[in-house]
């Protein structure tokens, strides 16, 4: 029986650091408010002209290198992003060219902060079905380009970065055990970029009213929904595989807010040492957050063969999901 495994990971963030003190000069906020409410101390922001594909390319190359896979052997470049370089060509196609993945298909996937788990699930299905051997899944964002820098309720949260995983067909025991994906479009308005698409094409009105920027209707509601959704997705993964919380060696959750992560872990009963948290340095990088955190954990030696790894995500759409992986 074919399965899929993560053969290598990589990540990349912009050089430019934006601290909470820097934000104090942009909007009416304070380091103390941001740290206590979100756990974020600083985040990375793309340079002028630095694009999602620039970050994605660096992360993708590192994942390929870690896996020891040549770009020519990649069958699919899948980029999860809500901040593509442009509507089309897809960022996946831009990367297919830049990486020299000459035999690969390429597309983008839009599931906001759940994008990496959604992408991993798609890749797992192709690999398990036996139709592909190597898939490069990348979560990459430059949210700084769609943040309203006058809106203090959102601009302190979001940031830029990219993370990648080279997923490979396998017959071994190290493999993705299950993925669970969920969506509730009826609550999509809670996190939205309303303008710039076919409903409100770019116009003076869209620019004047900041409609092509991130809007968050009710942060507190999003907070509560995120905790419940991540718990639901985690429990579904445990149940489907007949494992207990105590069997989980490492949880890599979407990095939206340290309090959301802590509340989710508390509800699950998972101790802090088994949770990867890097939000203090990177903020919320949407689809990039899980693969950046995962790559950090892999490179820090926090995963050994046989470990049980749980990924849980939540984001705009609304979307949420989980993946349970035998490392
Ligand atoms: N600096 C200072 N004050 C701020 C602020 C900021 N950056 N942003 C909001 N405030 C103010 C509010 O205006 C409000 O003031 P008021 O009481 O005078 O009206 C006060 O702080 C409390 O706001 P509230 O929204 O109740 O705070 P909160 O404890 O819910 O924390 C969030 C706000 C946004 C940090 C929190 O709700 C959150 O993280 N939500 C989830 C957001 C998220 O992760 N979205 C992406 C999901 S993928």
């Amino acid at each position: 029986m074919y399965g899929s495994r993560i053969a290598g990971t990589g990540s990349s963030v912009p050089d430019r650091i934006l601290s909470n003190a820097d934000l104090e000069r942009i909007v009416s906020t304070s380091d103390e408010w941001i740290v206590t409410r979100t756990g974020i101390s600083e985040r990375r922001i793309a340079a002028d002209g630095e694009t999602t594909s620039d970050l994605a390319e660096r992360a993708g190359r590192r994942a390929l290198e870690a896996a020891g896979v040549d770009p020519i052997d990649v069958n699919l470049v899948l980029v999860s992003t809500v901040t593509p370089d442009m509507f089309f060509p897809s960022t996946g196609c831009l990367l297919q060219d830049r990486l020299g993945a000459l035999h690969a298909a390429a597309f983008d996937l839009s599931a906001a902060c759940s994008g990496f788990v959604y992408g991993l699930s798609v890749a797992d299905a192709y690999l398990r079905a036996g139709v592909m051997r190597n898939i490069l899944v990348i979560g990459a964002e430059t949210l700084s380009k769609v943040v309203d820098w006058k809106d203090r309720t959102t601009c302190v949260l979001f940031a830029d970065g990219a993370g990648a995983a080279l997923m490979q067909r396998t017959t071994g025991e190290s493999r993705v055990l299950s993925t669970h994906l969920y969506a509730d479009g009826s609550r999509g308005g809670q996190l939205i970029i309303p303008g710039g698409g076919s409903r409100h094409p770019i116009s003076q009105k869209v620019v004047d009213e900041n409609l092509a920027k991130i809007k968050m209707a009710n942060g507190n509601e999003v907070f509560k929904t995120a905790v419940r959704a991540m718990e639901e997705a985690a429990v579904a993964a445990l149940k489907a595989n007949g494992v207990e919380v105590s069997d989980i060696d490492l949880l890599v959750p979407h990095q939206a807010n340290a309090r959301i992560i802590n509340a989710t872990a508390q509800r699950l009963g998972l101790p802090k040492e088994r949770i990867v948290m890097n939000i203090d340095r990177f903020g919320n990088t949407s689809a990039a957050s899980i693969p950046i955190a995962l790559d950090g954990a892999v490179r820090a030696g926090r995963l050994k063969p046989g470990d049980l790894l749980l990924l849980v995500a939540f984001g705009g759409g609304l979307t949420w999901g989980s993946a349970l992986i035998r490392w």
Side-chain angles (χ1 to χ4, degrees):
M1 283 278 279
Y2 287 133
S4 75
R5 70 182 190 107
I6 295 179
T9 61
S11 61
S12 171
V13 292
D15 291 335
R16 196 203 299 178
I17 295 175
L18 187 75
S19 68
N20 291 348
D22 295 329
L23 277 166
E24 286 176 2
R25 291 187 279 277
I26 299 173
V27 286
S28 167
T29 191
S30 67
D31 175 54
E32 198 259 335
W33 192 96
I34 302 172
V35 170
T36 51
R37 302 285 176 131
T38 72
I40 303 169
S41 295
E42 59 183 43
R43 72 284 291 138
R44 300 301 181 100
I45 299 296
D48 295 343
E50 192 173 30
T51 64
T52 295
S53 64
D54 293 333
L55 301 174
E57 182 184 352
R58 288 197 286 269
R61 283 192 193 283
R62 284 172 189 158
L64 286 165
E65 200 180 289
V69 169
D70 197 290
I72 206 79
D73 295 322
V74 172
N75 305 115
L76 171 66
V77 178
L78 192 170
V79 179
S80 295
T81 184
V82 288
T83 47
D85 284 28
M86 54 194 93
F87 276 154
F88 69 91
S90 68
T91 306
C93 281
L94 301 179
L95 281 189
Q96 188 260 359
D97 173 40
R98 286 165 66 161
L99 294 171
L102 301 180
H103 301 317
F107 63 86
D108 289 0
L109 185 156
S110 171
C113 304
S114 307
F116 184 76
V117 169
Y118 263 65
L120 182 142
S121 175
V122 171
D124 175 56
Y126 275 124
L127 295 166
R128 239 172 335 116
V131 293
M132 293 187 181
R133 278 178 188 277
N134 291 301
I135 300 181
L136 185 59
V137 182
I138 305 179
E141 307 282 7
T142 45
L143 294 168
S144 64
K145 319 254 182 185
V146 292
V147 153
D148 178 352
W149 289 101
K150 293 191 187 74
D151 177 6
R152 68 176 183 172
T153 66
T154 53
C155 77
V156 303
L157 303 175
F158 298 107
D160 304 338
L166 190 285
M167 295 191 57
Q168 203 159 49
R169 192 166 87 192
T170 182
T171 50
E173 286 185 6
S174 294
R175 58 168 65 201
V176 174
L177 299 176
S178 69
T179 59
H180 287 81
L181 304 182
Y182 307 86
D184 180 1
S186 74
R187 289 187 286 168
Q190 288 185 9
L191 271 169
I192 186 170
I193 298 182
S198 63
R199 186 171 305 182
H200 302 290
I202 292 289
S203 65
Q204 196 57 49
K205 178 176 165 358
V206 165
V207 173
D208 291 345
E209 294 179 11
N210 257 339
L211 293 180
K213 303 289 180 185
I214 296 178
K215 316 275 175 206
M216 189 164 65
N218 181 345
N220 208 265
E221 204 44 50
V222 176
F223 187 106
K224 285 187 266 185
T225 310
V227 174
R228 279 195 294 265
M230 297 222 288
E231 183 190 15
E232 178 191 3
V235 169
L238 299 177
K239 273 197 180 153
N241 294 281
V243 298
E244 305 290 327
V245 170
S246 54
D247 297 322
I248 301 299
D249 295 291
L250 204 63
L251 172 72
V252 179
H254 169 49
Q255 311 281 313
N257 182 318
R259 284 160 57 222
I260 292 178
I261 295 173
N262 288 335
T264 307
Q266 202 175 13
R267 285 166 77 125
L268 290 171
L270 199 67
K272 276 198 169 132
E273 317 80 72
R274 294 199 214 152
I275 301 164
V276 178
M277 182 107 84
N278 66 10
I279 188 163
D280 53 324
R281 289 174 293 138
F282 298 120
N284 180 347
T285 56
S286 192
S289 100
I290 288 179
I292 292 174
L294 175 62
D295 184 50
V298 169
R299 285 171 198 267
R302 291 183 72 179
L303 279 164
K304 56 181 190 314
D307 277 357
L308 260 192
L309 165 69
L310 179 61
L311 313 181
V312 282
F314 169 81
L318 300 176
T319 53
W320 62 103
S322 64
L324 189 68
I325 299 166
R326 175 74 65 193
W327 197 255

